[in-house]
């Protein structure tokens, strides 16, 4: 699903955010991306979601060669991934329903289908019946659930999350993590950037550890 | 199903743009008003020129040519000459005024009567006044040249040579109106562009999120283009109303003025074709202004 081959990212000005990254994430796999802040976690996720382009090596995601993807194709590439952000990136002038529906709207799904899919996604994250609410009145955990519903509503084969529990208290964080586990059991390849070691340890999944832009011991598995 | 969804989406975007109008009426109304005023100025000027043109065209019909005859021609030769001229297809009427008659007229109207009495010989020539069938200044010139070339004619003069000058002036003014129109059209593009720019800045996050969930540039552009089209459209309608009201206000005084000149001149309005042209160009300008701005920011706003 995700294949990095000696990929790197150097920003204009010379800062080398990532260097010589090679790893392979299989279809249906769930894994964590760890490292201190500034180690390059976010940059790696940006490469995977085609927000940034690699400056060296090969990056292949879901069959797309991201080293030479044309800007025209990027929207269609992104329709097949779900992205979750630490700051949720919800639109606060729209209802929960409209927020979750956005990925379906941009791809031109019919109204009837939008309704049933949004309700299904909200049901999955435990927010049934909150469609009409404004995200602003929801708690942080609920907002993160809305953003997860938005990331899975179009049933993407790949789910990326950047510090999804960073702003949440431990109980909520655990809930969110088990939600990701559930998604993964449905066959969605999942990659989660996090520095919540205790939580990661408990999950017993593959861990990609970044240090100063390099991947450390790529196949180290915690808790096994 | 796909096509139906597409139209539903367009309708939805259109309605949501109208909704924005409804939510921030003052800001949008100001933009629309500026568009309307910008467009009504050149439109009003064009209407005024159209009217001037039809007014001048009315004067054409009594354009007359005066032929000052050779002094050696006797009155009977002059009358004969007049009869021969009447056979010309280009001329509708001819009137012979003898030298004596000219002198009498001149004495009566000029106030130089006593001075003329002191002259031992009548200095004035006999004149034939012709009404040509053609009226356009361009057609008048060759006719005048032919008349001038006749041996009996000392001087052929178009009495309304100044008509040509008025025509030229109307042409200059019309060109000026188009130049003004062009400048104001650019202004409309900039105004709409600015309003759309503000809209884009306010919806920056929304644009980023749309890009992140796979919205194409076309999808993101759509509401802003609709905004430009709606603003241009309403601005254009308002411009038509403004021009109409201005003409309505002018109509009374102009009719009075025309009556003083015994003219039955009637002020012509914008007319259907000019109204449609105004509306279409306004919509196009709104769309263009929006397109330029949105394309610029579409490149600039990327998720990061």
């Amino acid at each position: 699903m995700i294949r990095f081959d000696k990929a790197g990212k150097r920003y204009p000005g010379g800062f080398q955010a990532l260097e010589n990254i090679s790893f392979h994430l299989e279809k249906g796999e769930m894994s964590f991306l760890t490292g201190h802040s500034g180690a390059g976690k976010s940059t790696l996720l940006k490469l995977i979601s085609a927000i940034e382009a690699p400056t060296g090596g090969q990056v292949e995601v879901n069959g797309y060669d991201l080293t030479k993807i044309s800007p025209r194709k990027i929207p269609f590439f992104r329709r097949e991934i779900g992205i979750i952000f630490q700051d949720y990136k919800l639109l606060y002038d729209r209802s929960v329903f409209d927020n979750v529906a956005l990925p379906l709207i941009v791809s031109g799904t019919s109204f009837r289908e939008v309704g049933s899919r949004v309700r299904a996604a909200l049901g999955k994250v435990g927010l049934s019946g909150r469609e009409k609410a404004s995200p602003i009145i929801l708690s942080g955990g609920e907002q993160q659930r809305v953003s997860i519903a938005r990331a899975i509503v179009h049933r993407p084969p790949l789910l990326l999350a950047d510090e999804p529990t960073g702003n949440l208290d431990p109980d909520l964080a655990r809930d969110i993590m088990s939600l990701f586990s559930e998604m993964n059991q449905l066959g969605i390849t999942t990659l989660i950037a996090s520095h919540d070691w205790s939580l990661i340890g408990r999950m017993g999944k593959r861990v990609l550890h970044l240090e100063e832009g390099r991947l450390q011991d790529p196949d180290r598995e915690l808790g096994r | 199903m796909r096509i139906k969804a597409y139209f539903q989406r367009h309708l939805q975007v259109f309605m949501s743009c109208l909704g924005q109008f409804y939510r921030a009426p003052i800001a949008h109304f100001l933009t629309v008003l500026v568009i309307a005023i910008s467009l009504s100025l050149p439109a009003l000027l064009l209407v005024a020129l159209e009217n001037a043109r039809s007014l001048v065209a009315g004067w054409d019909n009594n354009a007359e040519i005066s032929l000052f005859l050779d002094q050696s021609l006797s009155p009977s030769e002059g009358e004969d000459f007049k009869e021969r001229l009447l056979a010309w297809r280009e001329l509708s009427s001819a009137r012979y005024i003898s030298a004596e008659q000219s002198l009498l007229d001149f004495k009566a109207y000029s106030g130089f009567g006593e001075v003329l009495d002191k002259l031992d010989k009548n200095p004035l020539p006999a004149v034939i006044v012709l009404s040509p069938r053609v009226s356009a200044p361009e057609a008048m010139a060759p006719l005048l040249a032919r008349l001038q070339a006749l041996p009996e004619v000392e001087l052929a003069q178009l009495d309304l040579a100044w008509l040509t000058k008025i025509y030229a002036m109307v042409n200059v003014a019309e060109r000026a109106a188009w130049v003004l129109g062009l400048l104001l059209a650019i202004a409309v593009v900039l105004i709409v562009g600015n309003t759309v720019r503000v809209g884009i800045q306010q919806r920056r996050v929304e644009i980023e999120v749309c890009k992140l969930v796979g919205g194409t540039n076309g999808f993101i552009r759509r509401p802003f283009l609709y905004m430009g089209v709606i603003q241009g459209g309403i601005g254009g309608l308002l411009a038509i109303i403004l021009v109409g009201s201005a003409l309505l206000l002018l109509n009374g005084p102009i009719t009075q003025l025309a009556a003083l000149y015994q003219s039955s001149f009637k002020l012509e309005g914008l007319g259907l074709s000019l109204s449609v042209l105004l509306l279409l160009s306004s919509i196009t300008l709104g769309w263009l202004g929006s397109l330029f701005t949105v394309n610029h920011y579409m490149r600039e706003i990327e998720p990061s």
Side-chain angles (χ1 to χ4, degrees), chain B residues 50-66:
Chain B
E50 245 357 275
N51 278 299
R53 205 179 278 271
S54 67
L55 190 62
V56 172
W59 294 338
D60 273 5
N61 297 333
N62 16 14
E64 290 182 334
I65 295 174
S66 301

Side-chain angles (χ1 to χ4, degrees), chain A residues 46 51 75-76 78-79 83 85 89-91 93-94 102-111 114 150, chain B residues 1-2 4-6 8-9 12 203 205-206 208-217 219 302-304:
Chain A
K46 282 177 189 171
I51 294 171
F76 301 96
R78 288 202 184 126
R79 286 176 194 182
I83 315 174
F85 304 90
K89 287 207 194 297
L90 298 177
L91 302 175
D93 58 342
R94 301 190 183 194
L102 200 59
L104 301 175
I105 303 284
V106 300
S107 63
T109 314
S110 75
F111 275 143
V114 169
R150 184 182 65 192
Chain B
M1 204 60 204
R2 203 91 184 153
K4 192 177 159 206
Y6 181 80
Q8 280 178 339
R9 212 63 74 201
Q12 190 189 28
R203 297 170 70 181
V205 182
E206 190 178 331
E208 269 184 48
V209 171
C210 272
K211 283 196 170 189
L212 281 172
V213 299
T216 56
N217 283 353
F219 175 86
E302 279 290 336
S304 58

Side-chain angles (χ1 to χ4, degrees), chain B:
Chain B
M1 204 60 204
R2 203 91 184 153
I3 292 174
K4 192 177 159 206
Y6 181 80
F7 280 111
Q8 280 178 339
R9 212 63 74 201
H10 268 269
L11 190 69
Q12 190 189 28
V13 170
F14 185 78
M15 292 321 254
S16 88
C17 285
L18 283 182
Q20 283 180 42
F21 236 93
Y22 184 73
R23 280 192 293 278
I26 307 257
H28 287 294
F29 184 69
L30 282 180
T31 307
V32 162
L33 202 59
V34 175
I35 295 172
I37 291 171
S38 305
L39 291 177
S40 59
L41 277 178
L44 208 52
L45 206 52
L46 280 179
V47 169
L49 288 171
E50 245 357 275
N51 278 299
R53 205 179 278 271
S54 67
L55 190 62
V56 172
W59 294 338
D60 273 5
N61 297 333
N62 16 14
E64 290 182 334
I65 295 174
S66 301
L67 297 182
F68 298 92
L69 301 183
D70 194 288
Q71 299 260 16
S72 61
L73 246 59
S74 72
S76 65
E77 281 171 327
E79 288 282 0
D80 283 354
F81 180 52
K82 184 203 85 175
E83 291 304 320
R84 267 182 286 140
L85 285 175
L86 265 179
W88 286 30
R89 259 189 304 120
E90 294 92 330
L91 304 173
S92 62
S93 76
R95 185 158 48 91
Y96 178 76
I97 304 165
S98 68
E100 290 69 32
Q101 185 62 43
S102 297
L103 187 62
L104 286 176
D105 287 350
F106 191 73
K107 274 181 183 166
Y109 293 118
S110 71
F112 290 116
E114 287 166 26
V115 183
L116 289 171
D117 281 341
K118 296 212 168 73
L119 296 172
D120 52 354
K121 193 173 143 242
N122 180 2
L124 297 175
V127 177
I128 296 178
V129 179
L130 301 169
S131 296
R133 274 187 219 284
V134 287
S135 64
E138 308 87 73
M140 211 66 100
L143 177 61
L144 209 57
R146 269 179 66 201
L147 291 168
Q148 180 71 72
L150 296 171
E152 294 89 345
V153 175
E154 182 80 41
L155 177 68
Q157 190 182 322
L158 180 61
D159 286 350
L160 295 177
W162 53 275
L163 250 188
T164 342
K165 290 176 191 154
I166 285 197
Y167 264 111
M169 276 188 247
V170 170
N171 281 340
V172 169
E174 190 172 23
R175 187 64 60 87
W178 283 112
V179 171
L180 182 73
L182 191 69
L183 287 175
L184 289 170
I186 295 172
V188 168
V189 168
L190 294 178
I191 293 158
V192 173
N194 191 54
T195 320
V196 168
R197 188 181 57 78
V198 172
I200 290 174
Q201 298 289 16
Q202 282 168 352
R203 297 170 70 181
R204 228 188 154 86
V205 182
E206 190 178 331
I207 292 172
E208 269 184 48
V209 171
C210 272
K211 283 196 170 189
L212 281 172
V213 299
T216 56
N217 283 353
F219 175 86
I220 296 166
R221 240 189 341 229
R222 205 175 294 153
F224 298 108
L225 293 184
Y226 268 118
M227 201 67 210
V229 166
I230 291 173
Q231 283 183 342
I234 299 180
L237 285 178
L238 204 55
I240 292 172
I241 295 172
L242 279 181
V243 171
S245 329
L247 291 178
L248 214 60
L249 284 176
L250 287 174
N251 198 28
I254 283 182
T255 314
Q256 273 180 6
L257 185 68
L260 290 179
Y261 283 90
Q262 277 85 44
S263 161
S264 60
F265 174 73
K266 268 219 176 70
L267 198 59
E268 291 285 335
L270 204 48
L272 184 65
S273 60
L274 212 51
S275 300
V276 171
L277 179 72
L278 186 62
L279 188 60
L280 285 183
S281 42
S282 176
I283 288 174
T284 312
L285 291 173
W287 178 75
L288 270 181
S290 176
L291 188 70
F292 287 147
T293 317
V294 128
N295 276 349
H296 171 75
Y297 282 97
M298 207 47 59
R299 278 190 294 275
E300 198 194 275
I301 301 177
E302 279 290 336
S304 58

Side-chain angles (χ1 to χ4, degrees), chain A residues 196-210:
Chain A
D196 195 341
W197 302 104
S198 61
L199 213 52
I200 295 166
R202 208 173 306 139
M203 303 287 290
K205 300 285 184 185
R206 180 178 171 191
V207 173
L208 300 164
H209 185 66
L210 278 171

Side-chain angles (χ1 to χ4, degrees), chain A residues 12-23:
Chain A
F15 173 64
Q16 187 84 34
L18 291 172
E19 206 174 347
N20 201 20
I21 304 282
S22 296
F23 72 95

